[in-house]
Amino acid sequence: MAFEGLADRLQNTINKIRGKGKVNEADVKEMMREVRLALLEADVNFKVVKDFVKKVSERAVGQEVLKSLTPGQQIVKVVQEELTELMGGENSKIASAHRPPTVIMMVGLQGAGKTTTSGKLANLIRKKYNRNPLLVAADIYRPAAIKQLETLGKQLNMPVFSLGDQVSPVEIAKQAIIKAKEDHNDYVLIDTAGRLHVDENLMDELKNIKELTKPDEIFLVVDAMTGQDAVNVAQSFNEQLGLTGVVLTKLDGDTRGGAALSIRAVTNTPIKFVGLGEKMDAIEPFHPERMASRILGMGDVLTLIEKAQASVDEEKAKDLEQKMRTASFTLDDFLEQLGQVRKLGPLDEILKMMPGANKIKGLNNVQVDEKQIAHVEAIIQSMTKAEKIHPEIINGNRKKRIAKGSGRSVTEINRLLKQFEDMKKMMKQMTGMQQKGKKKGGFKLPFKPF
Ligand SMILES: Nc1nc2c(ncn2[C@@H]2O[C@H](COP(=O)(O)OP(=O)(O)O)[C@@H](O)[C@H]2O)c(=O)[nH]1
Ligand SMILES: [Mg+2]
């Protein structure tokens, strides 16, 4: 999983301070020392780390934080807010030209994922904005590059414009726009060539295409796995071409996270989308708030809710949202949700989005075993209604009865009850933070939802 090391280290650090009743400057200093190391180890740019630590420290030792009733939680909130700030605001809109077609130029090094992302974005634009994109094969150098795009086009049932590999990319781009106007394609995505390194010939070619097509967007595609290098690449492309956004690919791999955390700060270019796999629908808008929550183990309730809304019936999803927000969910709800959640996708991925999920033993390392889920279901189903609502009444005798009924051991029952308690505690903490920021009549999450 991406960000695993960083998430683990940051969560350990903040968990130490989260529950403290009193926090002094020395505690903050100690914590920030660990945060600094965690970020550096995740390959976050040195200067970015320095600025980040300075900002958080200043805010954290502020009187209103240290003197508050819950200084530990307040500091975690500061870290969360600053992480979000670091990664930039929400920014996944795609330009729309007054006079179509809107031209999007895809640039980046070889192998970064330009061709794949061109297909994904075209697919997204068609699905989400109901538009009619044209893909343009302007990489004439890499063998089979044109074929690759044509294959994607077929797969998506989307037109691909190509003039073979004997015509210059600039000419291809020019002809493509003429063709798009004829055919009423309102978006044109130009898949350009990449090199192994930033090189002058390549930049000149890209500048020429830019000059001629006057693109509305220039998206740099970068491989998140390349860490610091991704940041350097982004910097040079930005200097030469003026980027409008970055697409960070391969976030489904075990990237340490450095690129995601540094690119915006170093280049002042927003990360607009992230690639999460090779399939054509494996692209998502980049949500800095959600990413920060995820890194800090606060879960990604919003993405979870969205997933739920997409595949579960609306009433139930709303109910889940409400219960999570008010931390009032019972073991019965838990059971119900397990059933629902199984429909959403790979369980380990889904569960990781739950607040406190990092506390569930084994979840981070081991694939969640479907069998274990069945065991959990059996245990909960063997409880009485009262037990499910008030698990605290489950004493030794009741545990024995449940064990018999479910065919599981008392140890397993204890473990489940403990996990459920942990999860609820975590939700309460989030709710506590919400209450702090609550305006009259308003409802505020610890992060901005959209
Ligand atoms: N796992 C994963 N693989 C990706 C992602 N994006 C692209 N790839 C793969 O990376 C490789 C290079 O992608 P390609 O689009 O050909 O890169 P290009 O040279 O920049 O056009 C291909 O095997 C893609 O399937 C992603 O988000 N996740
Ligand atoms: Mg390519």
Side-chain angles (χ1 to χ4, degrees):
M1 177 217 175
F3 302 114
E4 192 143 43
L6 176 64
D8 275 355
R9 290 195 63 159
L10 281 183
Q11 285 169 35
N12 280 338
T13 306
I14 64 176
N15 282 341
K16 274 190 232 158
I17 210 156
R18 196 198 298 271
K20 280 197 173 180
K22 275 199 178 131
V23 179
N24 58 34
E25 283 199 38
D27 294 326
V28 173
K29 212 167 170 187
E30 166 66 18
M31 175 196 179
M32 291 319 296
R33 204 181 62 85
E34 289 178 31
V35 167
R36 186 175 155 272
L37 284 174
L39 292 172
L40 286 175
E41 204 156 275
D43 213 13
V44 180
N45 177 281
F46 180 79
K47 193 176 169 306
V48 171
V49 174
K50 202 173 140 205
D51 290 348
F52 178 81
V53 167
K54 184 162 169 265
K55 256 196 205 156
V56 174
S57 301
E58 275 169 16
R59 285 186 61 192
V61 299
Q63 288 308 306
E64 69 278 19
V65 169
L66 291 189
K67 289 227 174 101
S68 72
L69 288 174
T70 51
Q73 279 188 32
Q74 297 300 313
I75 290 172
V76 174
K77 187 164 169 249
V78 169
V79 173
Q80 205 263 352
E81 285 173 359
E82 290 296 335
L83 260 186
T84 304
E85 177 67 27
L86 184 68
M87 292 186 279
E90 187 75 47
N91 202 343
S92 58
K93 280 224 172 67
I94 300 177
S96 165
H98 284 304
R99 243 185 289 154
T102 303
V103 177
I104 302 177
M105 213 176 137
M106 308 294 291
V107 301
L109 296 187
Q110 193 168 309
K114 287 179 301 301
T115 305
T116 311
T117 307
S118 299
K120 287 178 181 177
L121 271 181
N123 188 30
L124 186 96
I125 288 168
R126 182 174 60 186
K127 265 214 288 224
K128 204 168 157 190
Y129 300 102
N130 216 2
R131 297 302 178 93
N132 183 20
L134 175 68
L135 287 161
V136 181
D139 178 359
I140 59 169
Y141 308 105
R142 196 177 184 181
I146 298 174
K147 193 85 210 284
Q148 188 191 355
L149 195 67
E150 282 172 343
T151 306
L152 289 180
K154 259 200 205 104
Q155 197 186 315
L156 293 167
N157 199 12
M158 180 106 51
V160 175
F161 183 85
S162 152
L163 292 175
D165 59 6
Q166 300 301 312
V167 179
S168 80
V170 178
E171 185 60 26
I172 294 173
K174 188 175 154 192
Q175 296 293 335
I177 291 175
I178 295 172
K179 177 88 166 103
K181 284 180 183 157
E182 278 171 21
D183 293 354
H184 302 288
N185 292 111
D186 41 16
Y187 275 79
V188 171
L189 286 96
I190 307 175
D191 178 31
T192 67
R195 303 284 152 87
L196 289 174
H197 305 281
V198 174
D199 102 7
E200 220 173 299
N201 285 340
L202 171 69
M203 286 299 176
D204 284 344
E205 179 178 303
L206 295 176
K207 278 181 202 164
N208 288 336
I209 297 177
K210 176 185 173 183
E211 194 60 34
L212 187 112
T213 62
K214 307 260 180 310
D216 302 282
E217 301 271 18
I218 303 181
F219 287 156
L220 175 71
V221 179
V222 279
D223 179 344
M225 309 279 281
T226 55
Q228 280 296 298
D229 246 11
V231 179
N232 298 334
V233 167
Q235 218 167 358
S236 9
F237 272 86
N238 193 36
E239 278 162 17
Q240 307 252 4
L241 292 170
L243 303 171
T244 62
V246 169
V247 181
L248 206 54
T249 61
K250 308 185 195 180
L251 223 67
D252 50 316
D254 54 356
T255 162
R256 285 180 289 170
L261 290 170
S262 322
I263 279 189
R264 147 68 208 267
V266 173
T267 66
N268 207 22
T269 307
I271 298 173
K272 293 204 168 190
F273 296 92
V274 292
L276 296 159
E278 306 199 27
K279 294 223 179 81
M280 282 298 104
D281 57 359
I283 188 164
E284 281 178 14
F286 181 63
H287 301 289
E289 299 92 336
R290 301 184 191 186
M291 191 62 87
S293 298
R294 226 154 157 173
I295 292 173
L296 295 176
M298 295 162 152
D300 184 352
V301 178
L302 290 167
T303 298
L304 190 59
I305 290 165
E306 276 179 5
K307 273 187 187 282
Q309 278 168 345
S311 52
V312 178
D313 82 77
E314 188 129 351
E315 277 305 301
K316 279 186 177 150
K318 273 213 185 100
D319 203 37
L320 165 66
E321 173 179 353
Q322 185 57 24
K323 278 175 168 154
M324 279 189 162
R325 283 180 166 166
T326 55
S328 72
F329 88 29
T330 65
L331 277 160
D332 239 348
D333 300 318
F334 187 58
L335 184 62
E336 156 89 29
Q337 290 316 324
L338 271 184
Q340 297 286 352
V341 155
R342 289 171 94 157
K343 291 195 238 156
L344 301 187
L347 261 173
D348 49 343
E349 286 304 314
I350 295 295
L351 285 176
K352 274 176 193 156
M353 294 182 203
M354 305 270 285
N358 61 316
K359 301 228 179 95
I360 301 177
K361 284 228 163 45
L363 196 57
N364 284 315
N365 312 316
V366 186
Q367 284 267 320
V368 175
D369 184 352
E370 295 281 337
K371 239 194 234 152
Q372 273 183 354
I373 301 294
H375 294 169
V376 168
E377 285 178 348
I379 293 173
I380 299 178
Q381 275 156 358
S382 301
M383 294 176 183
T384 64
K385 202 164 174 87
E387 287 167 349
K388 285 186 239 177
I389 299 171
H390 297 289
E392 61 278 6
I393 65 170
I394 303 177
N395 57 18
N397 273 337
R398 285 174 187 261
K399 279 178 196 164
K400 272 188 212 143
R401 193 207 74 240
I402 296 166
K404 231 186 210 157
S406 63
R408 309 312 315 163
S409 67
V410 170
T411 320
E412 275 174 274
I413 294 166
N414 283 333
R415 198 189 308 143
L416 170 66
L417 291 173
K418 173 83 174 51
Q419 285 171 353
F420 183 71
E421 260 326 290
D422 284 348
M423 195 178 278
K424 276 194 78 161
K425 250 186 233 153
M426 189 72 183
M427 287 181 185
K428 271 210 189 94
Q429 284 188 359
M430 289 182 57
T431 319
M433 283 162 56
Q434 281 161 219
Q435 298 299 335
K436 291 260 172 291
K438 196 168 169 175
K439 292 196 193 95
K440 220 182 249 159
F443 186 91
K444 195 167 180 302
L445 287 164
F447 34 77
K448 275 184 248 122
F450 297 103

